[in-house]
């Protein structure tokens, strides 16, 4: 501010009261400008990530209007007839809705119950390994399935469970049993999918928890060891509390995706015989949207799934903050 403005402000208290917030805002702008210039390369590196989210995540959100229209490819999105909530009424009254919803929830629950703790337990085990050569080799072997595409992995699963020459059925027949057509039996489908997902992702998931463990102060372990704490006690009272925040955040993100089971793994392994336990929102949307051409109805299904996921992650975050004091925000 110029000297003249300061003199006027000092002679008039009312003006001084209005000038003070302006000074604060100007100081904040100047401080942010200096910080931006100092870290300009960090902001430049953010541009590709921001563009990705803007183009592939936020821009397509305008397409949700299709869920409220009877889409005609000839008329286009904006020229198509507005039908309101008719697609949602059709969805909720559909005979397939309950089956698809049940399968999606059950697969996600099984994945959370059995799949979520798996990388935590594996990370705890790897963290206790003191032979670095063995630890590195083990980590490399465990990480490899993550880099295998679901197309290749589905082929491995199909061959492994083959009723003629699959390893699983060779073990069954070796004990005097009859070969089982695992992929054609609905009761086995969820177990197969969850097991395959755990095998594919368990090694990669340990990276997050091992990284969190590196932030734990080593002197805590030394003090506990001097006090006579066993290895299991050090895990229970130092390691697990040290990664508790990371565990809560990962669990909240998993709950937010409870209806998002993934398309590839189910699509590549299921068939009409296993629709009863294997048909989920992703495969259902694919059939009615791309195969049957009911794009408006498929959009309504996807929007319903997204809204449910949003409500779940908000609720889970609120509950976690109230119970443990840890949350995403």
């Amino acid at each position: 501010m110029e000297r003249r403005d300061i003199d006027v402000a000092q002679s008039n208290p009312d003006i001084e009261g209005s000038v003070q917030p302006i000074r604060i805002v100007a100081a904040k702008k100047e401080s942010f400008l200096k910080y931006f210039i100092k870290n300009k390369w960090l902001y430049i590196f953010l541009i590709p990530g921001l563009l990705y989210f803007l183009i592939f995540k936020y821009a397509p959100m305008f397409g949700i209007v299709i869920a409220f229209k009877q889409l005609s490819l000839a008329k286009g999105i904006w020229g198509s007839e507005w039908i309101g909530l008719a697609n949602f009424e059709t969805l909720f009254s559909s005979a397939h809705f309950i089956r698809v919803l049940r399968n999606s929830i059950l697969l996600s629950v099984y994945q959370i119950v059995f799949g979520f703790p798996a990388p935590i337990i594996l990370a705890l085990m790897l963290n206790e390994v003191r032979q670095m050569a063995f630890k590195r080799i083990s980590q490399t072997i465990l990480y490899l399935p993550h880099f295998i595409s679901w197309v290749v992995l589905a082929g491995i699963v199909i061959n492994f469970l083959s009723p003629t020459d699959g390893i699983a059925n060779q073990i069954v027949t070796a004990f005097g049993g009859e070969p089982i057509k695992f992929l054609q039996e609905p009761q086995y489908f969820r177990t197969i999918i969850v097991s395959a997902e755990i095998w594919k992702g368990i090694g990669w998931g340990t990276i997050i928890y091992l990284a969190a463990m590196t932030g734990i102060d080593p002197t805590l372990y030394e003090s506990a060891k001097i006090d006579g704490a066993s290895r299991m006690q050090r895990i229970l009272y130092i390691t697990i509390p040290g990664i508790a925040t990371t565990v809560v955040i990962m669990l909240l993100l998993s709950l937010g995706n409870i209806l998002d089971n993934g398309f590839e793994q189910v699509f590549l392994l299921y068939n009409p015989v296993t629709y009863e336990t294997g048909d989920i929102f992703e495969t259902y949307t694919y059939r009615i949207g791309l195969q049957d051409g009911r794009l408006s109805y498929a959009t309504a299904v996807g929007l319903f799934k997204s809204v449910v996921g949003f409500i779940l992650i908000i609720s889970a975050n609120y509950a976690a903050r109230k119970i443990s004091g840890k949350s995403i925000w």
Side-chain angles (χ1 to χ4, degrees), residues 218-246:
T219 59
L220 295 175
Y221 292 102
E222 296 172 4
S223 301
K225 190 173 182 180
I226 293 172
D227 291 338
S230 64
R231 177 170 292 187
M232 183 58 67
Q233 288 174 325
R234 294 197 295 270
I235 293 174
L236 291 175
Y237 298 109
I238 299 176
T239 308
I240 293 179
I243 63 172
T245 301
T246 304

Side-chain angles (χ1 to χ4, degrees), residues 276-287:
E276 179 185 346
T277 57
D279 197 18
I280 57 176
F281 277 111
E282 286 84 353
T283 55
Y284 181 62
T285 304
Y286 167 78
R287 290 202 312 276

Side-chain angles (χ1 to χ4, degrees), residues 11 74 137 157 206 231:
S11 62
I137 294 172
V157 172
T206 58
R231 177 170 292 187

Side-chain angles (χ1 to χ4, degrees), residues 121-129 135 138-139 142 206 210:
I121 296 171
L122 181 59
L124 292 171
M125 295 170 64
L126 289 174
N127 190 55
E128 295 300 317
V129 175
K135 185 176 182 178
S138 300
Q139 287 178 299
L142 291 168
T206 58
L210 285 172

Side-chain angles (χ1 to χ4, degrees), residues 39-53:
N39 301 280
K40 59 181 180 298
W41 288 109
L42 295 179
Y43 287 98
I44 292 173
F45 290 145
L46 279 175
I47 292 176
L50 292 175
L51 289 175
Y52 168 78
F53 280 99

